[in-house]
Amino acid sequence: MATVAPSRIRTGRAAEVWLLLLAVALGVGGYALVGLNTGDALPEDFGRYALILAAVAVVLHLVVRWRARYADPLLVPLVLALNGIGLAMIHRIDIGMTARGIPFAAGPRQLMWTALGAVLAAAVIIALRDHRTLRRYTFTAMVAGLVLLVLPMTPGLGVNRNGAQLWIEVGPLSFQPAEIAKILLAIFFAGYLVTNRDVLTLAGPKILGLQLPRVRDLGPLLLAWAVAIGVLVFERDLGTSLLFFGLFVAMLYVATERASWIIIGLLMFAAGALLAVNLFGHVADRFDIWLNALDNEIYNREFGGSGQLVRGLFGLALGGLMGAGWGEGFPHLTTHANSDFIVSALGEELGLTGLIAILLIYLVLAQRGLRMAIGVRDGFGKLLASGLAFTLAFQCFVVVGGVTRLIPLTGLTMPFMAAGGSSLVANWIIIGLLVRISDSSRRPAAEGGGEVVGAETARIALSAQNEGTGEGPDGAGRLRRRGGTPAAVYDTADDVPRVPANDAHDQDGDDDQHTEVVQRP
């Protein structure tokens, strides 16, 4: 029997204040160094920039303290640090491009998107009191996600940029719907898998020690594969296609813990990619650039050449171990250095040391997301948190892998750092969701909640109660109380302790169908 003594749990809000100060200092310091090293003076809008970044930190801290005081204290500071460093680099590239005679002003737009993303993250934290509410909208999320995915194909609305049909344009504004679609599809995958995971886990033949799924259970996987291939073929975007399919396979593995799903998923995507390489020129060009980047013919190709990739590699080489310093390198010589290739720009000016430090921030961010997935008490929250954390980590891997020639370039951008409003806003919404889930994960049981016991003890106690009252076990389906404060609450689907019924999670009456409340005999 495992016994947990009552203890006061720290909310971590004080630590969050100090970490936010450090995060703001990183962003503001980088911005100031760019101005000092390129113009011997602070940037003209330095005061406004510092004020907005500080305001974002203060507002988010107050909102978290108000609505999610047990949330992970690392989440917001980590993201704000990444966002601030990205803003400084985007401003630095603006200066470099302007010096080349090409007026650039991506920095102010990115600052505006940062403020908007932070506001939306705060709105998610305030409006969404319980993440399990999203489970009610499982299939609504699927339909909305698919509609957003096909929206760029609408004549007159979709816009083709750099060969990819991923944007829609309304007046002066353009947006990439796939960024919001990935959140909606993560909600759908979590809701679908938590309902069907028993079938996906237990049914199917065992061949050579590998538990294989039944043919009829392959339907959802085939659908996800078809959507991924559809995005690859019709919207000409390898990165988004890879991200969607990887998200589904990863969440499927988390739900079932069956390695066979990973193997089948990888084989299906490899087959689809091989087919696309042979049938579609734009996919073949990606692989050609990846495999023969230094070839003269491919480097000098007018369209679809490897010049961007090679210049990014040269930038990384120039940065060396310690980097050229903020504003001292030539990252603006690389095409799309402020978006697709911001990793090479950071590597050039901050060096391998700075780049590893940034990647460690991403690593900690993903680790905190997976940690809250382990700690949260309901299956839907576990899958949603792990899916969202996987999305951030996988996107980083794909971007860094593409820039360093580990894998083909995909067109994805670095979360929170690269220029682009769609990606930034969507990722801030993801952070809002993770803050909400982490609050549920770390929130303690209400005072007087009794002891937490092992699963076997809980079953024995429940049987004793049933014998004493003459009731037979009625299985999952309703919440039972036996007077007084319940001693332990178990989710029979997850076999993990649940908080007492008087906790905020049960106030909306949602998701109680798998909950048993037992009292020690």
Side-chain angles (χ1 to χ4, degrees):
M1 180 179 72
T3 303
V4 178
S7 61
R8 182 173 176 272
I9 295 180
R10 297 176 184 273
T11 61
R13 300 281 69 83
E16 186 182 69
V17 171
W18 292 107
L19 290 172
L20 282 171
L21 285 174
L22 182 60
V24 172
L26 280 173
V28 173
Y31 201 74
L33 285 173
V34 168
L36 292 171
N37 288 340
T38 55
D40 296 327
L42 290 175
E44 292 180 1
D45 60 344
F46 177 76
R48 181 172 64 91
Y49 169 82
L51 190 63
I52 292 177
L53 211 57
V56 167
V58 171
V59 169
L60 285 175
H61 173 72
L62 293 177
V63 168
V64 171
R65 182 179 282 272
W66 175 37
R67 286 295 198 184
R69 64 193 182 100
Y70 287 100
D72 193 322
L74 290 181
L75 285 179
V76 176
L78 289 174
V79 170
L80 196 62
L82 292 171
N83 204 160
I85 295 171
L87 282 167
M89 179 49 71
I90 291 168
H91 174 63
R92 188 267 169 275
I93 293 169
D94 282 351
I95 294 174
M97 295 298 288
T98 304
R100 290 177 60 191
I102 307 172
F104 240 62
R109 286 200 305 272
Q110 189 74 357
L111 191 59
M112 180 194 70
W113 288 117
T114 297
L116 179 61
V119 168
L120 291 177
V124 168
I125 297 169
I126 293 171
L128 187 65
R129 300 297 299 274
D130 188 337
H131 63 272
R132 290 177 296 173
T133 306
L134 297 173
R135 189 177 170 185
R136 299 173 183 168
Y137 307 104
T138 295
F139 289 97
T140 305
M142 179 196 72
V143 173
L146 292 178
V147 168
L148 286 175
L149 273 182
V150 301
L151 210 54
M153 304 300 297
T154 308
L157 192 63
V159 177
N160 190 307
R161 290 183 182 174
N162 304 317
Q165 188 84 18
L166 282 175
W167 285 264
I168 60 171
E169 202 167 74
V170 181
L173 300 176
S174 61
F175 197 77
Q176 196 173 340
E179 293 290 342
I180 300 299
K182 72 182 179 186
I183 302 175
L184 293 171
L185 291 179
I187 293 171
F188 162 66
F189 292 155
Y192 172 80
L193 291 173
V194 79
T195 303
N196 297 282
R197 62 180 170 181
D198 289 342
V199 173
L200 297 171
T201 303
L202 301 175
K206 195 170 186 177
I207 299 175
L208 299 176
L210 200 62
Q211 188 81 35
L212 297 177
R214 297 178 300 183
V215 174
R216 61 183 177 184
D217 295 331
L218 286 172
L221 188 62
L222 290 172
L223 178 62
W225 178 79
V227 170
I229 296 301
V231 171
L232 177 64
V233 173
F234 296 109
E235 299 188 357
R236 296 170 169 252
D237 190 75
L238 177 62
T240 306
S241 167
L242 189 61
L243 183 65
F244 286 147
F245 194 67
L247 171 66
F248 180 72
V249 173
M251 292 180 70
L252 191 57
Y253 174 72
V254 172
T256 62
E257 298 182 9
R258 287 172 58 166
S260 56
W261 288 112
I262 297 284
I263 296 172
I264 293 172
L266 289 175
L267 289 175
M268 289 175 68
F269 191 83
L274 187 61
L275 190 65
V277 167
N278 288 300
L279 293 180
F280 305 104
H282 65 280
V283 181
D285 285 344
R286 296 270 183 177
F287 281 82
D288 209 13
I289 291 170
W290 173 46
L291 296 173
N292 307 294
L294 300 178
D295 188 277
N296 275 337
E297 181 186 349
I298 294 176
Y299 179 86
N300 293 315
R301 190 185 290 168
E302 186 176 359
F303 299 105
S306 62
Q308 181 190 31
L309 176 61
V310 173
R311 282 191 287 273
L313 291 172
F314 284 164
L316 288 172
L318 178 65
L321 185 61
M322 301 306 293
W326 280 111
E328 302 287 350
F330 306 94
H332 49 281
L333 298 181
T334 304
T335 312
H336 300 303
N338 62 359
S339 54
D340 295 11
F341 275 72
I342 198 166
V343 169
S344 65
L346 289 164
E348 181 175 343
E349 300 218 326
L350 304 183
L352 180 63
T353 307
L355 199 52
I356 287 178
I358 291 170
L359 294 179
L360 282 177
I361 295 177
Y362 280 110
L363 184 64
V364 174
L365 185 61
Q367 185 271 339
R368 302 306 289 186
L370 295 175
R371 178 68 186 84
M372 75 181 68
I374 293 172
V376 75
R377 300 172 180 93
D378 65 287
F380 176 77
K382 287 177 185 298
L383 286 173
L384 183 58
S386 57
L388 295 177
F390 172 82
T391 299
L392 295 175
F394 188 65
Q395 202 166 333
C396 291
F397 166 76
V398 169
V399 172
V400 176
V403 170
T404 55
R405 272 190 79 195
L406 181 65
I407 58 175
L409 284 172
T410 59
L412 289 177
T413 56
M414 208 65 172
F416 303 108
M417 303 190 81
S422 313
S423 173
L424 187 59
V425 167
N427 286 320
W428 269 109
I429 293 175
I430 287 177
I431 291 304
L433 290 171
L434 289 178
V435 166
R436 171 53 60 207
I437 297 173
S438 74
D439 179 60
S440 300
S441 171
R442 299 178 75 240
R443 183 177 290 276
E447 289 187 10
E451 295 175 313
V452 178
V453 298
E456 185 63 26
T457 305
R459 280 191 286 270
I460 293 171
L462 180 61
S463 300
Q465 282 187 334
N466 291 334
E467 291 171 2
T469 58
E471 295 181 6
D474 56 1
R478 58 196 174 99
L479 190 70
R480 290 183 289 181
R481 302 172 187 269
R482 288 290 179 264
T485 304
V489 185
Y490 272 80
D491 185 323
T492 55
D494 296 330
D495 201 24
V496 296
R498 299 290 301 268
V499 295
N502 57 355
D503 191 281
H505 301 307
D506 294 319
Q507 289 177 357
D508 64 351
D510 180 54
D511 206 25
D512 284 344
Q513 67 273 22
H514 296 300
T515 303
E516 298 279 2
V517 181
V518 298
Q519 189 174 20
R520 290 177 64 80

